[in-house]
Amino acid sequence: MLQELHIRNFLLIDSLKISFSPGMNVLTGETGAGKSIILDATALLLGEKIKGPVLRKGSEKCQILGLFSLNGRKSPLSDLLSSTSLGDKDESTLILRREIDSENRSRAFVNDKPVPLATLSSIGDYLVDLHGQNEHQILLKTNIQKEFLDLYAENDSILKEAARLYSHWKGLISQKESLKITESERAQKKDLYEYQIQEISKARLKEGEEEEIEKILPPLKNGDKLGRLAEELYSHLNDAEGSLLERVGKCRKLAETIQSLGGDIQESTLLLEESASRLNAVADSVHGLKENIVYDPAKVDSLILRQDTLARLKKKYGTTISEILAHKEKCERELAEIETLPERIQDLDRDIEKVHGLLMK
């Protein structure tokens, strides 16, 4: 029931509040008193489209508000409010509001929540039925007639079951439509997935191998040069005539002689001993490196070829080996679905027929 109607800045109305009581309410007045303006405002409140300028002269915005009391019983309106989360806590009152600016742009609200105009109109259909020239009449709407009939017949449970079956049936049909492809498309997809799976499988990818190659390839590529440089360095340290260790050794003997003759260079002697020890450590390290350097051109070529293979696969299937392997797994799943497509469509046909039979029943 409409309890209160508030109208502000609408056509000739500055501000108007009308309260309604249970039973029959009558608005009377001579021609031009504004009765039709109140009906026009009510129609806009119920979701009717704006047909011309409605703003009162000198105003920036007009507002129409209606306060409705609900009986709290289950009804199509209560279902609509619940499905849109627009009902109040006790479901006893409902407030509709519509605001229109100077550009005839409007905003609609239900219980202070903004809603599309279509939602306001749907709710309005259950609240008020306006009868008059060029006005919509709710009893002429087929969907409303069906809802009244179902409400009278207490069809709530069977309606929900029919809706569930219908949704299931349409979903199965959509699944089938999404699976429909021509034999040519099926063959093309099958060939594509098989080729990609074979190409990735043939590469025998391993997690972390790319990092391992990047670690071992540089010393292998430069093995020959590293060997020559290490040999030269070891020669300067210990091997060649006049090497650093040989000269440091001579310096140590001279320092020890000076020390024995009373010269105070004990600290220098110790530093020379430490230098000799450090140089020996460096020489041993270089010698070990020199002995372990492997120059294998065939191995280098093999690793470079592997890098090229990985780069080609990354360009096509993913930026990392993990992504490439994930792509392979995806192709395997897609291939399995392509190969079982006819059987899946047959299964869907059986399910569609079964659900359709239940729905018709």
Side-chain angles (χ1 to χ4, degrees):
M1 168 188 166
L2 177 60
Q3 288 184 309
E4 292 182 7
L5 182 65
H6 299 254
I7 305 173
R8 292 185 59 192
N9 300 324
F10 181 73
L11 295 176
L12 301 177
I13 297 175
D14 177 14
S15 179
L16 178 65
K17 175 184 176 183
I18 306 175
S19 297
F20 298 90
S21 58
M24 183 175 180
N25 293 260
V26 180
L27 297 178
T28 63
E30 57 188 47
T31 302
K35 303 185 297 297
S36 62
I37 293 178
I38 294 173
L39 287 176
D40 290 341
T42 304
L44 289 176
L45 177 65
L46 298 174
E48 187 173 285
K49 292 183 179 179
I50 303 170
K51 297 175 182 177
V54 299
L55 197 62
R56 184 172 180 269
K57 188 175 180 180
S59 302
E60 295 182 358
K61 179 177 69 174
C62 81
Q63 177 177 277
I64 308 162
L65 182 146
L67 174 64
F68 296 83
S69 64
L70 306 178
N71 57 25
R73 292 180 298 182
K74 189 169 183 59
S75 65
L77 175 58
S78 64
D79 289 339
L80 175 59
L81 293 174
S82 296
S83 66
T84 53
S85 302
L86 294 174
D88 65 1
K89 292 181 179 179
D90 58 9
E91 296 186 352
S92 63
T93 59
L94 184 67
I95 300 175
L96 305 186
R97 176 162 51 94
R98 192 164 180 190
E99 298 176 350
I100 304 169
D101 64 16
S102 58
E103 301 293 329
N104 266 15
R105 294 174 300 197
S106 76
R107 299 172 65 200
F109 301 85
V110 176
N111 286 338
D112 285 328
K113 296 178 182 178
V115 297
L117 187 60
T119 301
L120 187 69
S121 178
S122 298
I123 293 173
D125 283 342
Y126 293 107
L127 294 171
V128 178
D129 187 18
L130 292 174
H131 297 267
Q133 278 191 319
N134 302 319
E135 297 288 355
H136 66 282
Q137 297 186 33
I138 190 170
L139 293 178
L140 296 181
K141 294 186 175 181
T142 305
N143 64 312
I144 298 297
Q145 293 172 0
K146 290 178 181 178
E147 289 180 0
F148 279 140
L149 181 59
D150 283 322
L151 188 63
Y152 177 77
E154 298 181 347
N155 283 339
D156 185 58
S157 61
I158 196 170
L159 272 173
K160 289 181 178 177
E161 178 62 11
R164 185 190 68 80
L165 288 170
Y166 179 78
S167 177
H168 189 194
W169 176 59
K170 294 294 288 184
L172 291 171
I173 292 174
S174 296
Q175 286 184 46
K176 180 181 175 182
E177 290 298 319
S178 68
L179 294 177
K180 279 186 176 179
I181 58 174
T182 66
E183 281 300 316
S184 174
E185 290 174 327
R186 182 167 172 262
Q188 288 176 0
K189 287 188 174 183
K190 186 172 182 292
D191 288 344
L192 176 63
Y193 293 140
E194 286 177 340
Y195 171 78
Q196 293 184 354
I197 292 169
Q198 183 180 7
E199 184 178 29
I200 297 173
S201 298
K202 186 178 178 181
R204 300 182 182 277
L205 300 176
K206 296 179 182 177
E207 294 280 3
E209 68 169 309
E210 194 172 18
E211 294 78 7
E212 184 66 19
I213 292 173
E214 291 175 354
K215 178 181 177 182
I216 65 175
L217 184 58
L220 282 176
K221 285 173 65 176
N222 300 311
D224 186 41
K225 186 174 182 179
L226 283 172
R228 292 197 305 271
L229 291 174
E231 181 69 37
E232 183 178 354
L233 176 57
Y234 184 76
S235 177
H236 285 304
L237 286 168
N238 194 33
D239 213 18
E241 185 177 347
S243 66
L244 286 176
L245 279 170
E246 181 182 336
R247 294 168 67 184
V248 168
K250 290 181 179 179
C251 291
R252 283 179 60 195
K253 289 180 179 178
L254 289 172
E256 289 171 357
T257 302
I258 293 172
Q259 182 72 24
S260 66
L261 295 175
D264 187 12
I265 58 169
Q266 183 176 2
E267 184 176 349
S268 298
T269 303
L270 293 174
L271 288 173
L272 284 169
E273 289 178 0
E274 183 180 347
S275 298
S277 177
R278 287 178 178 270
L279 285 172
N280 268 309
V282 173
D284 291 342
S285 175
V286 173
H287 183 267
L289 172 67
K290 182 169 65 76
E291 292 297 316
N292 290 317
I293 288 176
V294 177
Y295 180 56
D296 186 348
K299 179 68 172 178
V300 171
D301 292 342
S302 173
L303 291 174
I304 292 175
L305 183 61
R306 185 61 174 173
Q307 276 189 326
D308 292 342
T309 299
L310 295 177
R312 176 170 51 81
L313 293 175
K314 285 166 62 179
K315 188 175 182 180
K316 295 171 69 174
Y317 304 124
T319 58
T320 64
I321 289 179
S322 295
E323 290 182 6
I324 297 171
L325 293 173
H327 180 80
K328 174 176 171 284
E329 291 178 0
K330 179 184 175 183
C331 288
E332 289 171 342
R333 290 193 300 270
E334 296 286 351
L335 180 61
E337 291 184 1
I338 288 289
E339 290 176 335
T340 60
L341 191 56
E343 292 83 0
R344 291 167 61 205
I345 291 178
Q346 287 179 2
D347 291 341
L348 281 172
D349 281 334
R350 284 193 292 269
D351 290 342
I352 289 169
E353 184 177 356
K354 178 181 177 181
V355 174
H356 184 263
L358 294 172
L359 176 60
M360 291 299 99
K361 181 180 177 181

